[in-house]
Amino acid sequence: MASLRDVARRAGVSVSTASKVLNGRMAHQHFGPDCIARIREAATALRYTPNYLARSLASRRADSVGLLMGPGSMSANDFWGEVLWGLGEGLSATGQHLVTLSSRDGPEHLALAHRFLQDGRIDGLVLLSFDERLVLPASLFKARRPVVLLGCAHRSAPTVAVDDEAGVAAAVRHLAELGHRRIAWYGPGDDEDSSCARRQKACRRAAREAGLRLDERLFSWRPALGDRVRSRSQRRQIASVCVACRAQADLGSGATGIVCYDDLVAFGLYAAAAERGLRIPHDLSVVGFDDIHAEVVWPPLTTVSHMLRAVGQRAATLLQELIEDPTLREAYAGRRELLQPELVIRGSTAPPREPAG
Amino acid sequence: MASLRDVARRAGVSVSTASKVLNGRMAHQHFGPDCIARIREAATALRYTPNYLARSLASRRADSVGLLMGPGSMSANDFWGEVLWGLGEGLSATGQHLVTLSSRDGPEHLALAHRFLQDGRIDGLVLLSFDERLVLPASLFKARRPVVLLGCAHRSAPTVAVDDEAGVAAAVRHLAELGHRRIAWYGPGDDEDSSCARRQKACRRAAREAGLRLDERLFSWRPALGDRVRSRSQRRQIASVCVACRAQADLGSGATGIVCYDDLVAFGLYAAAAERGLRIPHDLSVVGFDDIHAEVVWPPLTTVSHMLRAVGQRAATLLQELIEDPTLREAYAGRRELLQPELVIRGSTAPPREPAG
């Protein structure tokens, strides 16, 4: 295999010049077009392959962007695929590679990301965590390379998220437009997770604006979230919801439409309804939030899309801007970009039955 | 920040010696323990942080293993999370980082993986593709660094897969043990995908061995797999199965237990059964294959686990062996390791009802 030395000799330049032209960036600012052409021709003729590590040392770029699955994202790995896809699409125009850092959970996660940023193995980092209460160490944002956050927040970096209040409001309006007059909210009653309280409040406001009567049904499922085994955790969440739904004596007798905190709550309602012989949407309309598994159940679930692909794309774009122009970091710090979610109407919602009596 | 030169000066050694001790591997084979200790103490005192790129140049190791989502895996991104997790667990003991290469689809995928392997950005590659017919270029296996395959095969590298014939046989035995005497196979009738034909044959053999009568119901869903949008593709697959199931006049009147090619087929059957007022498992037992969404439906699906986490772990171990000892590559080439799947019994199977008359 031809070495850099061979290329330099053939082109009649020094090894250092050949290296800067072949491995560095903006060689045209330092060398004439003739010189650059001569070196490139020599490299082609000799089938010289630049060494990645040497090139990175010269350019100080890894041409890679990291994705860290942070604490709180391990139990939600159904979400990964879509976010990964969106990031990949966003980066494809820039020629950057996407590098997902180790899927191990725990505090060493953040240390690893910090090291990759400091070492220049990645040019920037996207940190994904579904734990809104996550406290990120300030040191992470002191690396020379930028960070963009998904699902969590810090005053030193921008966040991309979905406007879930708008999503819940769209779900409520959809039920109102179908003719429902009394609806219910089903969600976890755990105040610590801000997304629960936020969506619940949004439901309350939207119901008031639409002139609907709202029942609020809260239950606890937090214990299940400590379980890292995804399927078991899902199972337990659905089981919690079933238990909670069975305890609701008015399921199907009061509200005719139900807005759920997320799709798992909706699946719990599907199960509770099946056990009671209630048909969805004939006896009960149900709307979820996430759009992850919504199409494997019957009837397919009407739900608010979490827009994970769009979120990934936007994160890639933001990160690229910060990599290209480090002076933007200050302006972008603490910025919260909210994407508008979309209500995907499927088979679980319909006009309410005529009142029985 | 302290440089390598500072460390060398403080320890009284040459820069080259300090570099080999701090950045290389197996320094103890070349230098005495006193020398190594002196250099490490100097580095600690000066808070020297080794530069990753320089260290990699010295050790010729990236301490990273790549995962490539190959052609045919993009429409199945529900599978990613589990495989990623298993790989992460398998690598955690070795200190290797897992790096997932760009989620872009298309032929540039393989070229990117080849380049990463050649450049030494990764020490080895795991290639995941659910397209068994995928023809991999021989050049991929000529890189100096090893490849392990998941879901596809090539004579130059080892493959890790699940023994799906054993899985289907376990599903059939389960129905026989519950007392079913007449069962049906529901699967795609597309001969080109070897997994369809293989599982169908395994079902036929197991039914014969258990003395069960078997109906075989085939339909086509291949058109849907060309669609890269996961959820649409899923929806269409389920819709195809529903259409196919509606066309089966004997659904629920002949066979009392159904073995499905995969979980999506099972969900299609759930839908068809709901439309006809048949209850699962009261009127009909259903077994799936995959264990991806099996717990979000009601009743939760009895299914054969694809063992994706175990597959990921085993791939990590194999790759590590090949990285540590390149002479194993010849012995491992073309090897097919089959993991034993597990039948996960949930709520969709029960003894058959007493015959109506």
Side-chain angles (χ1 to χ4, degrees):
Chain A
M1 212 167 71
S3 72
L4 191 61
R5 194 173 300 272
D6 300 328
V7 175
R9 195 178 300 127
R10 185 178 177 119
V13 298
S14 72
V15 172
S16 150
T17 300
S19 168
K20 281 175 189 146
V21 167
L22 294 173
N23 296 321
R25 285 182 175 230
M26 298 188 279
H28 60 274
Q29 291 181 4
H30 304 287
F31 306 99
D34 282 1
C35 168
I36 292 175
R38 214 162 59 237
I39 293 169
R40 294 221 167 118
E41 277 163 25
T44 307
L46 295 170
R47 299 191 186 187
Y48 167 75
T49 313
N51 177 289
Y52 156 70
L53 295 167
R55 192 175 62 230
S56 290
L57 277 172
S59 72
R60 299 180 167 274
R61 283 281 185 97
D63 287 335
S64 294
V65 157
L67 170 66
L68 180 70
M69 300 300 182
S73 64
M74 293 306 291
S75 59
N77 58 16
D78 304 311
F79 288 75
W80 297 7
E82 292 288 302
V83 175
L84 267 170
W85 192 325
L87 280 168
E89 283 181 334
L91 291 174
S92 64
T94 71
Q96 291 266 25
H97 307 301
L98 179 66
V99 150
T100 305
L101 302 184
S102 152
S103 58
R104 276 166 271 164
D105 214 345
E108 70 272 21
H109 245 132
L110 293 170
L112 177 71
H114 187 250
R115 193 142 44 87
F116 266 59
L117 282 171
Q118 283 292 19
D119 285 355
R121 291 177 77 152
I122 49 178
D123 299 322
L125 177 77
V126 174
L127 196 158
L128 172 70
S129 170
F130 294 111
D131 183 356
E132 293 191 352
R133 292 163 295 170
L134 180 65
V135 179
L136 293 166
S139 60
L140 186 65
F141 307 97
K142 289 189 177 133
R144 273 168 302 175
R145 297 172 179 88
V147 179
V148 170
L149 303 172
L150 298 183
C152 50
H154 193 277
R155 60 187 165 74
S156 303
T159 295
V160 182
V162 156
D163 186 350
D164 52 1
E165 300 179 56
V168 169
V172 171
R173 277 198 307 274
H174 171 58
L175 290 175
E177 282 160 15
L178 286 171
H180 294 269
R181 289 289 148 252
R182 182 172 169 187
I183 64 170
W185 165 259
Y186 273 70
D190 186 326
D191 288 345
E192 286 176 71
D193 188 326
S194 52
S195 78
C196 303
R198 195 170 57 239
R199 292 185 194 172
Q200 190 184 350
K201 259 167 77 178
C203 184
R204 209 177 284 161
R205 193 167 50 237
R208 199 170 49 234
E209 286 172 6
L212 304 185
R213 179 168 163 194
L214 177 71
D215 303 327
E216 301 186 24
R217 301 283 173 258
L218 302 181
F219 49 86
S220 174
W221 73 11
R222 283 296 135 193
L225 284 184
D227 186 343
R228 290 184 183 173
V229 180
R230 179 192 66 129
S231 52
R232 274 197 210 148
S233 162
Q234 271 190 353
R235 185 76 210 101
R236 276 210 228 151
Q237 287 181 26
I238 296 172
S240 317
V241 182
C242 292
V243 170
C245 293
R246 280 193 205 108
Q248 303 293 336
D250 64 349
L251 179 65
S253 66
T256 56
I258 297 183
V259 180
C260 300
Y261 167 68
D262 69 4
D263 286 357
L264 289 185
V265 172
F267 301 144
L269 280 172
Y270 270 58
E275 287 182 329
R276 295 192 183 197
L278 295 173
R279 283 163 302 166
I280 297 170
H282 182 261
D283 302 313
L284 200 61
S285 285
V286 176
V287 189
F289 197 116
D290 275 351
D291 200 17
I292 302 295
H293 302 287
E295 292 177 323
V296 305
V297 293
W298 190 263
L301 181 66
T302 295
T303 190
V304 178
S305 168
H306 217 286
M307 310 294 282
L308 293 169
R309 199 174 295 189
V311 164
Q313 281 179 329
R314 183 59 195 145
T317 306
L318 263 182
L319 193 59
Q320 199 54 39
E321 287 176 30
L322 288 166
I323 290 169
E324 291 299 329
D325 185 356
T327 65
L328 290 173
R329 279 177 75 169
E330 209 172 318
Y332 282 15
R335 183 203 274 199
R336 188 174 165 83
E337 286 204 12
L338 289 180
L339 302 189
Q340 287 309 300
E342 194 187 320
L343 178 73
V344 185
I345 298 173
R346 298 199 182 92
S348 66
T349 46
R353 273 189 303 162
E354 289 301 309
Chain B
M1 214 169 71
S3 72
L4 191 61
R5 194 174 300 274
D6 301 329
V7 175
R9 194 178 300 127
R10 185 177 176 120
V13 299
S14 71
V15 172
S16 149
T17 299
S19 167
K20 283 176 187 148
V21 166
L22 294 173
N23 295 323
R25 288 188 170 224
M26 297 188 278
H28 58 276
Q29 292 181 2
H30 303 288
F31 305 100
D34 282 2
C35 168
I36 293 175
R38 213 161 60 237
I39 293 168
R40 294 222 167 114
E41 276 163 26
T44 307
L46 295 170
R47 297 191 187 189
Y48 167 75
T49 313
N51 177 289
Y52 156 70
L53 296 168
R55 193 174 61 229
S56 292
L57 277 174
S59 72
R60 300 179 165 276
R61 284 282 184 96
D63 287 335
S64 294
V65 158
L67 171 66
L68 179 71
M69 301 298 183
S73 65
M74 293 306 291
S75 59
N77 58 16
D78 305 311
F79 287 75
W80 297 8
E82 292 287 304
V83 176
L84 267 170
W85 192 324
L87 280 168
E89 283 182 334
L91 291 173
S92 64
T94 71
Q96 292 265 26
H97 307 300
L98 179 67
V99 149
T100 305
L101 303 183
S102 153
S103 59
R104 276 165 271 164
D105 215 345
E108 69 272 21
H109 245 131
L110 293 169
L112 177 71
H114 188 251
R115 192 142 43 88
F116 267 59
L117 281 172
Q118 283 293 16
D119 285 355
R121 290 177 79 151
I122 50 179
D123 299 322
L125 177 77
V126 174
L127 195 157
L128 173 70
S129 169
F130 293 111
D131 183 356
E132 294 192 351
R133 291 163 294 170
L134 179 65
V135 178
L136 294 165
S139 60
L140 186 65
F141 306 98
K142 290 190 177 132
R144 272 167 303 174
R145 295 169 181 89
V147 179
V148 170
L149 304 171
L150 298 183
C152 51
H154 193 277
R155 61 187 164 74
S156 303
T159 295
V160 182
V162 155
D163 185 350
D164 52 3
E165 300 179 56
V168 170
V172 171
R173 276 197 307 273
H174 171 60
L175 291 175
E177 282 160 14
L178 286 171
H180 294 270
R181 289 289 149 251
R182 182 171 169 187
I183 65 171
W185 165 260
Y186 273 70
D190 186 325
D191 288 344
E192 285 177 72
D193 188 325
S194 53
S195 79
C196 303
R198 196 170 55 236
R199 291 184 194 173
Q200 190 184 351
K201 258 168 78 177
C203 185
R204 208 176 285 162
R205 195 168 48 236
R208 199 169 49 231
E209 286 172 6
L212 304 185
R213 181 169 163 192
L214 177 71
D215 303 327
E216 301 186 24
R217 300 281 172 259
L218 302 181
F219 48 87
S220 175
W221 72 12
R222 285 294 134 191
L225 285 184
D227 186 342
R228 290 187 187 173
V229 180
R230 180 192 64 128
S231 50
R232 274 198 209 147
S233 163
Q234 271 191 353
R235 184 76 209 103
R236 277 212 228 151
Q237 287 182 23
I238 296 172
S240 317
V241 182
C242 293
V243 169
C245 293
R246 281 195 205 106
Q248 303 295 334
D250 64 351
L251 179 66
S253 65
T256 56
I258 296 183
V259 180
C260 299
Y261 167 69
D262 70 4
D263 286 356
L264 290 185
V265 172
F267 300 144
L269 279 171
Y270 269 58
E275 287 181 331
R276 295 191 182 199
L278 296 173
R279 284 161 302 165
I280 297 169
H282 183 260
D283 301 315
L284 201 60
S285 284
V286 176
V287 189
F289 198 114
D290 275 349
D291 200 17
I292 301 296
H293 302 287
E295 292 178 325
V296 305
V297 293
W298 190 262
L301 182 66
T302 295
T303 190
V304 178
S305 168
H306 217 289
M307 310 293 283
L308 294 168
R309 197 174 295 189
V311 164
Q313 281 179 329
R314 182 61 195 144
T317 306
L318 263 182
L319 192 60
Q320 200 54 39
E321 287 176 27
L322 289 166
I323 291 169
E324 291 299 329
D325 185 356
T327 65
L328 290 173
R329 280 177 75 170
E330 208 172 318
Y332 283 14
R335 185 202 272 199
R336 188 173 165 84
E337 285 203 13
L338 289 180
L339 301 188
Q340 287 309 300
E342 195 186 320
L343 179 72
V344 184
I345 298 173
R346 297 198 182 90
S348 66
T349 46
R353 273 189 303 163
E354 288 301 307

